[in-house]
Amino acid sequence: MNRSDSNRLSLTNLPTKPAVDPNELTVGIVHLGLGAFHRAHQAVFTERAAQLTGETRWGIAGVSQRSAAVREQLAPQDGLYAVLTRGTDSTSIDVIGSIREVLTAPEDPDAVVARIADPRVSVVTLTVTEKGYRAANGGLDLSDPEIQADLAGRPPRTVVGQLAAGLARRSGEPLTIVSCDNLVANGPFLQRLMHQYADAAGLGGEQFEAAAFPASMVDRIVPATTDADRDEAARLLGVRDEAVVVAEPFLQWVIEDHFAGARPAWDAAGAVLTADVAPWEQAKLRMLNATHSMLAYLGALRGYETIAEAVRDDELAAAARELLSADVVPTLTPPDGLDLTAYGESVLDRFANPALKHRTTQVAMDGSVKLPVRLLGTVQDRLTAGAEPHSASLAVAGWMVYVARATTVDDPQADRLKSATANATTPTALVDALLAVETVFPEPLRENQTFRSLLIDHVSTLTA
């Protein structure tokens, strides 16, 4: 710690003493993707479980996949940070000490592999976003340059490369690897990618066969932290926190009860352990995430900076409700105890929270990988049922116009998307240009004339 900053959050500058001293925690979890979402979600569950049970073996080694920014924020604070929880009418703050180590993969990839291989580590969790899996057409994209570089023998920098190298070096208790990203059947999906990578790399063995890949579903809105948030955190804590993250009160984690070995008492902290995550996952992806994307694209096109502003637009709120009731709910099997209609209204209420300044452009990122899992499954299911997915098509059309109009598109396929739309001067040309991107739209949708006609109608309206 840099002791020169005497007013910085640290172990010697804690506002309140926790039941379990962070210094007592040993690393039992590795987390890949040390962004704000993890710090406001899985790390919070882990912190609460430790405080409730007194267990000290579940400290987290967090891995930043890109930059050292998080490490530079956390290191002077002894790994501590706060979660600033903003409700519509109230604000609270809690200090989290579950992250005990920060690794930066580009700087020291061998250290990441060594931590995954550490026999004291029982669980790896991931929040690397959809694009972090480097998948294409339902499997691992073996043509991806980063995957190829890992397969060629460099110290691995891709998620699957890191996990495979760690498993290959590992002995003792088998590992449980929990994907927490918005992917359909994310656990089995990651397991498939891992086996494809291992086959290509000539890896395998007992640890690969014994590893468990439970599916999971996560939910919490975590907007980007602003300087004003840091100032408010300092006021509430009495010390400065440069790593504070902001979140809504709602917090949910549903995990398939399929672990290869020991695990934290996440269920004691409120996580739901279940035999089947799929109904929960589909409800969240198709209701919350799809509506989030719709409001992001349509809201950005109307000049709204935040999702809360967009959902307060009566026309956009009506479009979101129609998406849920007319297109999404008919495709879902509700999980036990979940009223889909009430859940849909709760989603819109959460989006309308003015305290969460979740930017439309932030939610609009990575549309080429989000659309297939958030919206296109609903479109296909409605078409298969003989219905016209009017509202879901409007959301997709919003993405198309956003891609065409945005000065900068933050997307792993940005160059291809911009190239496809460069000469699309009419609604029909724009729709046909983007429908032809086979890495976004599967063949049945590319060739479906009902879907194409709906898109052309919506794009015509949006560009009028």
Side-chain angles (χ1 to χ4, degrees):
M1 173 184 170
N2 180 3
R3 300 293 175 185
S4 64
D5 191 349
S6 60
N7 198 41
R8 187 87 173 258
L9 177 65
S10 69
L11 287 170
T12 57
N13 229 1
L14 269 171
T16 57
K17 184 176 176 59
V20 174
D21 187 335
N23 273 330
E24 298 177 1
L25 297 175
T26 58
V27 172
I29 303 169
V30 172
H31 182 82
L32 305 180
L34 193 58
F37 184 84
H38 166 69
R39 286 179 281 150
H41 192 279
Q42 296 88 20
V44 172
F45 276 101
T46 304
E47 173 82 13
R48 291 178 181 176
Q51 300 302 329
L52 287 167
T53 65
E55 285 190 295
T56 60
R57 64 164 293 188
W58 299 114
I60 299 169
V63 179
S64 174
Q65 296 292 332
R66 291 180 290 182
S67 77
V70 176
R71 183 190 65 206
E72 291 168 357
Q73 290 175 342
L74 290 175
Q77 301 182 176
D78 298 321
L80 304 179
Y81 66 95
V83 177
L84 183 65
T85 304
R86 291 190 185 279
T88 303
D89 303 312
S90 62
T91 300
S92 63
I93 196 162
D94 297 285
V95 174
I96 305 299
S98 53
I99 297 176
R100 292 293 83 220
E101 179 179 76
V102 178
L103 303 173
T104 303
E107 292 181 1
D108 197 352
D110 285 327
V112 176
V113 173
R115 261 305 185 195
I116 295 171
D118 186 342
R120 294 168 295 179
V121 168
S122 297
V123 178
V124 174
T125 53
L126 300 86
T127 50
V128 295
T129 75
E130 294 93 332
K131 64 183 177 182
Y133 292 81
R134 300 185 181 276
N137 301 315
L140 185 65
D141 184 1
L142 293 170
S143 68
D144 181 280
E146 295 296 308
I147 294 291
Q148 289 184 335
D150 281 3
L151 289 172
R154 74 168 179 185
R157 295 188 183 181
T158 67
V159 167
V160 290
Q162 291 162 353
L163 291 170
L167 284 172
R169 195 186 298 182
R170 189 178 173 86
S171 61
E173 180 184 85
L175 193 63
T176 299
I177 302 172
V178 186
S179 169
C180 301
D181 286 297
N182 289 321
L183 297 161
V184 176
N186 51 15
F189 176 72
L190 177 56
Q191 184 175 31
R192 183 164 67 251
L193 301 188
M194 288 292 300
H195 283 297
Q196 290 172 335
Y197 182 93
D199 289 345
L203 299 173
E206 182 179 339
Q207 286 290 339
F208 282 84
E209 297 305 317
F213 294 82
S216 82
M217 186 276 285
V218 300
D219 192 0
R220 194 174 208 186
I221 297 173
V222 183
T225 303
T226 66
D227 288 340
D229 296 325
R230 295 184 187 92
D231 291 342
E232 181 165 12
R235 180 180 61 79
L236 292 170
L237 291 170
V239 292
R240 189 78 185 171
D241 177 9
E242 296 300 331
V244 63
V245 293
V246 182
E248 66 169 335
F250 186 89
L251 177 64
Q252 186 180 45
W253 195 3
V254 182
I255 314 170
E256 182 184 3
D257 195 2
H258 173 54
F259 288 80
R263 63 167 177 81
W266 285 323
D267 49 335
V272 175
L273 296 182
T274 179
D276 187 9
V277 172
W280 296 90
E281 168 191 84
Q282 284 287 75
K284 193 252 182 172
L285 282 170
R286 294 193 177 190
M287 297 186 76
L288 183 140
N289 294 120
T291 309
H292 219 196
S293 288
M294 174 191 244
L295 290 167
Y297 299 126
L298 299 181
L301 292 175
R302 291 195 173 193
Y304 294 126
E305 183 179 350
T306 68
I307 295 295
E309 291 170 349
V311 82
R312 289 198 295 272
D313 180 310
D314 290 343
E315 287 186 12
L316 297 190
R321 285 189 172 87
E322 186 178 351
L323 169 66
L324 293 169
S325 62
D327 281 344
V328 175
V329 169
T331 72
L332 297 176
T333 300
D336 288 343
L338 182 64
D339 181 318
L340 293 178
T341 300
Y343 176 67
E345 283 301 316
S346 75
V347 162
L348 296 180
D349 287 342
R350 290 165 60 195
F351 289 167
N353 181 351
L356 297 177
K357 300 187 185 301
H358 213 175
R359 299 192 314 275
T360 52
T361 52
Q362 180 188 6
V363 180
M365 290 168 52
D366 305 332
S368 69
V369 287
K370 289 177 178 176
L371 281 187
V373 295
R374 296 183 176 197
L375 281 158
L376 299 188
T378 294
V379 170
Q380 186 60 69
D381 285 352
R382 296 300 284 149
L383 290 169
T384 300
E388 289 192 359
H390 185 275
S391 296
S393 298
L394 172 60
V396 177
W399 170 75
M400 290 180 163
V401 177
Y402 179 83
V403 166
R405 287 187 174 178
T407 304
T408 301
V409 176
D410 194 336
D411 192 287
Q413 298 190 59
D415 291 343
R416 182 173 185 185
L417 298 175
K418 276 303 192 183
S419 176
T421 60
N423 298 314
T425 58
T426 68
T428 298
L430 178 59
V431 169
D432 287 343
L434 289 174
L435 270 183
V437 180
E438 74 284 350
T439 50
V440 177
F441 296 96
E443 184 177 357
L445 290 184
R446 293 200 307 272
E447 297 182 353
N448 189 285
Q449 290 305 307
T450 298
F451 183 42
R452 177 176 177 269
S453 296
L454 286 168
L455 289 173
I456 292 170
D457 288 345
H458 287 311
V459 170
S460 298
T461 300
L462 291 172
T463 57

